[in-house]
């Protein structure tokens, strides 16, 4: 009987490892282009495999999301395709992330070992691509670190964030060579805003509890960062001037700012000095002063989410065809599409600062303030549940802080190559805790 149980456990372990390997290939290679099509299926599988439990607060959130979606369809001129797609690729990932998992599948250590092999292979291919591009100049230096990761989606932005996550994990595992490799990989993606956020979060974590060992790591990190910066400045000097320009323009954007003036310039397809991301947030918060939108939102997939753009007739070949009518939600048409459309992007090749994308903004405007409050409470409960119980609490803190800040800057929830990784890491950390508790109870009983 014992041998039978042991064999079943081994088979489950092998199957789990195989599934993780397949997922890693899907997330970290050019195959990720098709992930959006199977995103809901993968989310449902994650729910089943980890036996996710939807408690009262989650149930209330789900009920409110459904009521708000129905309301937008009947009273707000919403589109059924936007509602369904938003619920599946925007709301569903959030509620699965924040609802507790109860079934252990694989340890964090084993998960990271398997996925690291795939990510390292992808990074090595990107390094080779980058070096070849330095000599051939086939693309801009900023876009050279690609390799097997492919050109779809946000290209190196998500690859950068993924590498930074692995960098921090191995840093706190005291595997400095691996940590350095992943930091360098993330850095060479030349995603300026991602690097700034990563640096801020690391400084916060390192300075939370200062010890001699941490001071040593801080000094090593500063020296390493300085060395990589110096080398990168030789290879691609524009990256730092670009980052400085972004910070300066963002700071200037808050002084002598006029929302109406910025929207007028945008509607004329002229270049705005103030980052249009600021204008998008300003417009979204202005919308929240309307009671109906404050309670129910503008409707699922009807403002600045990726869903809104995929179905608006400019970014989907299917919707853009003559046989299909583009979905142009009223509030997005007024507030968001003038800030980001083909006339503007083709003229000015705009960067992150001008993109009106933000999962946080989409949540509060499309789903309403009450839903935003419920999701915030679920985030708080997740943090309380795991922050002191995780075997690697600092890594968990980094992951959550890093995620939350980045959700204000881009529609990352709707990019499965990044968000599935976050969901899996949280679920594994959560179920690792339960295994540790059970082992502790068994040892006490013995």
């Amino acid at each position: 009987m014992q041998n039978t149980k042991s064999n079943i456990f081994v088979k489950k372990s092998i199957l789990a490892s195989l599934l993780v390997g397949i997922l890693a290939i899907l997330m970290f290679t050019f195959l990720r282009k098709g992930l959006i099509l199977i995103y809901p299926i993968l989310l449902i599988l994650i729910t089943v495999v980890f036996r996710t439990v939807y408690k009262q607060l989650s149930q209330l959130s789900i009920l409110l999301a459904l009521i708000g979606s129905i309301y937008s369809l009947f009273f707000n001129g919403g589109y059924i395709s936007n509602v369904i797609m938003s619920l599946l690729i925007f709301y569903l990932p959030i509620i699965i992330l924040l609802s507790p998992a109860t079934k252990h599948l694989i340890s964090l250590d084993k998960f990271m070992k398997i996925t690291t092999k795939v990510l390292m292979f992808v990074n090595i291919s990107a390094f080779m691509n980058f070096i070849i591009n330095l000599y051939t100049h086939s693309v801009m230096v900023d876009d050279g670190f690609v390799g097997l990761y492919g050109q779809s989606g946000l290209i190196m932005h998500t690859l950068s964030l993924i590498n930074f996550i692995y960098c921090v994990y191995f840093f706190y595992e005291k595997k400095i060579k691996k940590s350095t490799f992943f930091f360098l990989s993330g850095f060479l993606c030349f995603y300026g805003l991602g690097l700034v956020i990563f640096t801020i979060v690391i400084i916060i974590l390192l300075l939370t509890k200062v010890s001699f060992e941490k001071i040593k790591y801080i000094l090593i990190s500063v020296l390493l960062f300085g060395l990589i910066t110096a080398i990168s400045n030789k290879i691609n000097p524009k990256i730092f001037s670009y980052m400085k320009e972004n910070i300066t323009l963002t700071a200037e954007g808050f002084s002598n700012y006029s929302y109406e003036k910025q929207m007028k310039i945008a509607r004329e397809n002229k270049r705005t000095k103030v980052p249009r991301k600021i204008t998008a947030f300003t417009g979204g918060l202005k919308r929240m002063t309307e009671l109906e939108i404050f309670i129910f939102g503008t409707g699922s997939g009807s403002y600045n989410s990726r869903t809104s753009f995929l179905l608006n007739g400019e970014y989907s070949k299917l919707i853009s065809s003559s046989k299909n009518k583009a979905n142009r939600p009223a509030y997005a048409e007024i507030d968001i599409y003038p800030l980001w459309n083909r006339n503007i992007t083709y003229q000015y090749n705009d960067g992150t600062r001008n993109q009106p994308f933000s999962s946080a903004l989409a949540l509060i405007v499309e789903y309403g303030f009450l839903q935003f409050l419920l999701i915030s409470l679920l985030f708080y409960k997740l943090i309380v549940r795991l922050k002191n119980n995780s075997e690697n609490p600092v890594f968990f803190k980094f992951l959550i802080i890093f995620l939350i800040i980045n959700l204000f800057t881009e529609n990352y929830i709707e990019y499965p190559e990044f968000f599935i990784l976050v969901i899996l890491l949280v679920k594994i950390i959560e179920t690792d805790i339960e295994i540790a508790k059970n082992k502790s109870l068994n040892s006490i009983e013995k």
Side-chain angles (χ1 to χ4, degrees):
M1 188 69 178
Q2 188 68 32
N3 287 336
T4 304
K5 285 184 178 180
S6 178
N7 288 335
I8 292 171
F9 178 79
V10 170
K11 286 179 181 178
K12 284 184 177 178
S13 180
I14 292 170
L15 180 60
S17 299
L18 182 63
L19 289 173
V20 168
I22 292 169
L23 269 176
I25 293 169
L26 288 174
M27 289 187 294
F28 301 154
T29 70
F30 57 88
L31 295 174
R32 65 197 173 83
K33 186 176 182 179
L35 270 181
I36 193 72
L37 300 174
I38 59 170
Y39 197 10
I41 297 169
L42 290 175
L43 291 168
I44 292 166
L45 285 174
I46 289 170
T47 298
V48 172
V49 168
F50 285 99
R51 291 183 188 171
T52 304
V53 177
Y54 300 96
K55 297 185 178 180
Q56 288 183 337
L57 200 60
S58 294
Q59 291 172 13
L60 182 59
S61 173
I62 293 167
L63 180 62
L64 186 60
L66 293 174
I67 291 171
S69 297
I70 293 168
Y71 181 88
S72 72
L73 285 174
F74 285 96
F75 302 103
N76 235 354
Y79 295 96
I80 186 69
S81 56
N82 290 54
V83 168
I84 293 171
M85 188 171 183
S86 178
L87 289 174
L88 290 176
I89 73 168
F90 182 83
Y91 179 75
L92 185 61
I94 300 174
I95 203 67
I96 289 174
L97 171 72
L98 301 177
S99 301
T102 59
K103 174 73 174 177
H104 183 265
L105 178 69
I106 192 170
S107 69
L108 181 62
D109 178 61
K110 193 169 185 180
F111 176 85
M112 295 303 282
K113 280 181 180 176
I114 295 168
T115 55
T116 293
K117 290 175 183 176
V118 179
L119 185 57
M120 287 186 79
F121 188 73
V122 171
N123 282 334
I124 289 168
S125 74
F127 271 116
M128 293 171 64
N129 198 99
F130 182 76
I131 292 166
I132 291 168
N133 183 59
L134 284 179
Y135 289 97
T136 61
H137 302 289
S138 54
V139 295
M140 292 174 64
V141 175
D142 299 34
D143 301 327
F145 196 84
V146 179
L148 289 172
Y149 193 67
Q151 296 280 353
S152 62
L154 295 173
I155 314 179
M156 287 93 67
H157 286 198
T158 43
L159 181 59
S160 174
L161 300 188
I162 290 165
N163 273 302
F164 287 147
I165 288 170
Y166 279 73
C167 162
V168 173
Y169 173 79
F170 286 112
F171 180 82
Y172 284 103
E173 288 291 308
K174 298 181 180 178
K175 296 178 180 178
I176 304 303
K177 288 181 181 178
K178 281 187 177 179
S179 179
T180 303
F181 173 79
F182 287 117
F183 173 75
L184 183 59
S185 299
F187 189 93
L188 287 178
C189 292
F190 295 117
Y191 176 33
L193 183 57
L195 179 63
V196 169
I197 293 171
F198 171 75
T199 306
I200 290 169
V201 177
I202 289 297
I203 290 170
I204 291 169
L205 291 177
L206 289 175
L207 295 180
T208 302
K209 291 182 180 179
V210 179
S211 63
F212 175 76
E213 186 179 13
K214 283 187 178 177
I215 290 172
K216 178 180 73 176
Y217 282 125
I218 290 170
L219 291 173
I220 292 170
S221 299
V222 169
L223 289 171
L224 181 63
F225 186 79
L227 179 63
I228 293 173
T229 299
I231 295 169
S232 299
N233 196 38
K234 289 286 185 184
I235 298 171
N236 186 17
K238 289 192 299 182
I239 183 66
F240 295 104
S241 59
Y242 180 72
M243 286 171 62
K244 183 181 177 181
E245 182 188 3
N246 279 347
I247 295 168
T248 302
L249 287 173
T250 302
E252 289 175 354
F254 288 102
S255 61
N256 302 319
Y257 178 79
S258 168
Y259 175 73
E260 289 72 21
K261 181 181 177 181
Q262 294 303 314
M263 287 302 296
K264 183 177 182 296
I265 295 170
R267 288 194 183 100
E268 293 170 353
N269 295 326
K270 293 179 181 178
R271 189 165 198 166
T272 57
K273 290 184 179 180
V274 176
R276 289 196 292 275
K277 196 178 287 288
I278 291 176
T279 304
F281 269 91
T282 305
L285 295 177
K286 281 170 71 72
R287 285 292 172 196
M288 296 306 294
T289 59
E290 300 173 32
L291 183 61
E292 178 188 5
I293 295 173
F294 183 84
I295 297 171
F296 296 109
T298 60
S300 312
S302 67
Y303 201 66
N304 74 312
S305 60
R306 189 185 184 195
T307 295
S308 177
F309 278 89
L310 283 174
L311 299 177
N312 76 352
E314 291 198 55
Y315 296 91
S316 171
K317 291 179 181 178
L318 176 64
I319 300 298
S320 296
S321 70
S322 57
K323 296 179 182 179
N324 292 280
K325 181 183 177 182
N327 296 348
R328 311 283 293 193
Y331 295 110
E333 185 76 50
I334 297 167
D335 295 352
I336 299 298
Y337 297 157
L339 301 174
W340 192 257
N341 55 70
R342 291 187 182 275
N343 291 326
I344 288 175
T345 56
Y346 285 180
Q347 271 186 288
Y348 306 119
N349 191 26
D350 285 5
T352 306
R353 69 171 181 262
N354 286 319
Q355 297 170 356
F357 307 141
S358 163
S359 288
L361 182 63
L363 176 63
I364 193 170
V365 180
E366 294 185 7
Y367 285 82
F369 182 76
L370 294 180
Q371 184 66 261
F372 180 78
L373 186 62
L374 284 174
I375 295 299
S376 298
L377 285 171
L378 285 168
F379 255 112
Y380 174 74
K381 288 174 76 71
L382 172 70
I383 292 166
V384 170
R385 194 161 68 239
L386 300 186
K387 70 172 183 178
N388 294 322
N389 296 321
S390 170
E391 290 184 8
N392 196 335
V394 185
F395 173 64
F396 172 72
K397 287 176 186 176
F398 165 81
L399 183 65
I400 294 301
I401 297 170
F402 192 59
L403 171 66
I404 291 171
I405 296 175
N406 274 294
L407 291 185
F408 279 87
T409 68
E410 181 56 82
N411 291 326
Y412 284 118
I413 291 171
E414 294 161 285
Y415 285 90
E417 59 265 39
F418 172 72
F419 209 72
I420 284 177
L421 174 66
V422 173
I423 292 173
L424 288 172
L425 287 172
V426 170
K427 297 300 169 199
I428 290 166
I429 290 169
E430 194 165 40
T431 52
D432 265 357
I433 292 169
E434 294 303 316
I435 290 293
K437 283 181 180 177
N438 291 336
K439 284 181 179 178
S440 177
L441 286 172
N442 290 336
S443 63
I444 290 169
E445 288 173 1
K446 289 179 181 178

